[in-house]
Amino acid sequence: MEPWLAIIKEFGFPAAVTFYLMHRIENKLNTLIASIHSLPEKLK
């Protein structure tokens, strides 16, 4: 049981931070993609 706890302690926090940051970046990328798609209409 102790080896598993060590693995969770070592990799659990970095994995959680990575998933959180990926989620934030995904939202920003979706906004950027939507802006790029609407750009031709705004240039007309």
Side-chain angles (χ1 to χ4, degrees):
M1 184 75 176
E2 285 184 22
W4 286 107
L5 290 177
I7 291 171
I8 291 171
K9 287 179 184 178
E10 186 172 337
F11 295 111
F13 180 73
V17 170
T18 300
F19 285 123
Y20 172 73
L21 292 176
M22 286 174 57
H23 177 71
R24 289 195 53 170
I25 291 171
E26 180 185 12
N27 289 336
K28 292 180 181 185
L29 285 176
N30 288 337
T31 304
L32 179 62
I33 290 169
S35 298
I36 291 171
H37 283 228
S38 67
L39 187 59
E41 295 172 7
K42 292 182 179 181
L43 290 176
K44 289 183 183 179

